Amino acid sequence: MTAPVLRICHLYPELMNIYGDRGNVIALTMRCRWRGWEVQVTGLSLGDPLDPSRYDLYFMGGGQDREQMMVCEDLAGEKGEALRAAVEDGAALLSICGGYQLLGKRFLTCTGEDLPGISLFDAETVGGDTRFIGNVAVRCRLEGMEGTLVGFENHSGRTRLGPAGKPLGEVIKGYGNNGEDGSEGCVYRHAIGTYLHGSLLPKNPSLADWLILRALRRRYDLEQLPPLDDALEEEAHRAALYMVLRKGPRLRLPRWGGWRASGRFG
Ligand code: GLN
């Protein structure tokens, strides 16, 4: 088999990028390069056409309501249809917060703007008058992957899943989709929507590999990805999980390198 080349489409990189969301693209890129594989990242923004056959993995980060309005208009029609077609064809996708909201059916902002989504996810979002802010831990179940996810959320939108909407996981701590029903995010085929900023993928390496494997399997004969030494990533995951569960802004973390030596998470 020739060495895989992962083709990433980064949607609206300059408009939809808060709380380090771009770090997800860096994590995906590095996890392929560490395996000796090439990665091509193409940014597509307002007015750029989307050819669904050109990419394996799509990423869209979060954004404020103002940016979401511009993106919503741009995604209406052909571009949104092309993105849906790509996911139907098996492409992988990760969307965070404001990006996730626009891939549902509709986002009604807290100032009354009605933003139609592309209906990739059976989900509707309504802006609330308070914000859900804080660290989050989620129990996640995906085909071939089960475990915890850690991240940071900051949103006024409350998302409700429809009957076909399958959550990404259950909230252990935090608010998730709406602060009421315990669900977090949504999954459709190999597309994931989630409220978890962070960046999410550097400290949730299994999710990064879940996306990479599904993205590449369409074009390459891959059973599994070659494993990487994820000791640091797993420490970051455990440290974040510990912080969320202990609710610890005042928690004093050991200096870098202290985790393993202290054995506190062993
Ligand atoms: N504007 C949206 C909300 O507040 C999304 C914010 C974000 O992406 N963090 O719900």
Side-chain angles (χ1 to χ4, degrees):
M1 187 184 76
T2 52
V5 179
L6 180 69
R7 304 168 309 172
I8 298 178
C9 175
H10 189 169
L11 290 161
Y12 312 101
E14 77 296 8
L15 292 172
M16 303 296 282
N17 175 38
I18 45 182
Y19 307 120
D21 287 340
R22 194 174 70 90
N24 293 304
V25 175
I26 298 171
L28 293 164
T29 301
M30 293 315 295
R31 294 186 72 77
C32 288
R33 291 207 181 132
W34 288 329
R35 293 174 165 114
W37 299 343
E38 194 192 321
V39 177
Q40 295 163 359
V41 181
T42 308
L44 289 189
S45 198
L46 302 178
D48 297 333
L50 193 165
D51 174 353
S53 67
R54 285 188 59 173
Y55 310 103
D56 309 305
L57 200 160
Y58 296 79
F59 175 74
M60 173 154 55
Q64 308 301 336
D65 294 5
R66 193 165 38 94
E67 281 80 34
Q68 286 178 282
M69 285 178 214
M70 297 187 243
V71 170
C72 162
E73 222 169 280
D74 192 65
L75 273 179
E78 266 175 39
K79 198 153 165 184
E81 272 163 39
L83 189 55
R84 278 211 320 263
V87 171
E88 287 302 338
D89 191 45
L93 177 148
L94 176 65
S95 56
I96 314 283
C97 197
Y100 164 40
Q101 293 169 346
L102 292 180
L103 302 189
K105 289 185 163 167
R106 173 184 193 213
F107 174 33
L108 193 60
T109 71
C110 49
T111 48
E113 277 87 16
D114 195 348
L115 308 185
I118 70 162
S119 297
L120 178 68
F121 299 121
D122 186 8
E124 281 200 17
T125 303
V126 177
D129 46 14
T130 55
R131 299 191 72 79
F132 291 154
I133 304 174
N135 293 315
V136 197
V138 173
R139 190 173 297 107
C140 149
R141 277 190 204 91
L142 286 169
E143 169 252 316
M145 184 200 143
E146 212 174 308
T148 48
L149 297 176
V150 287
F152 169 78
E153 64 185 330
N154 182 351
H155 53 109
S156 78
R158 276 80 165 144
T159 300
R160 302 256 166 211
L161 303 182
K166 187 173 162 299
L168 171 64
E170 300 145 32
V171 173
I172 304 171
K173 198 94 179 214
Y175 299 96
N177 278 337
N178 50 59
E180 286 177 8
D181 65 13
S183 70
E184 203 313 292
C186 192
V187 184
Y188 175 68
R189 295 175 68 84
H190 303 145
I192 291 177
T194 174
Y195 274 109
L196 272 56
H197 297 280
S199 314
L200 176 65
L201 296 181
K203 56 184 177 288
N204 294 284
S206 321
L207 185 63
D209 280 358
W210 189 91
L211 288 161
I212 293 171
L213 182 61
R214 271 122 199 111
L216 289 175
R217 261 191 192 155
R218 275 197 317 168
R219 296 188 301 119
Y220 301 94
D221 183 19
L222 271 175
E223 269 294 308
Q224 294 298 331
L225 297 181
L228 295 174
D229 174 4
D230 279 333
L232 289 180
E233 287 78 359
E234 278 160 17
E235 277 183 20
H237 183 97
R238 279 199 295 273
L241 193 60
Y242 180 88
M243 201 159 59
V244 182
L245 299 183
R246 290 293 174 102
K247 218 176 171 274
R250 281 200 268 125
L251 175 77
R252 273 194 313 227
L253 299 173
R255 286 188 163 280
W256 179 247
W259 295 112
R260 224 166 317 169
S262 74
R264 289 166 73 177
F265 304 99

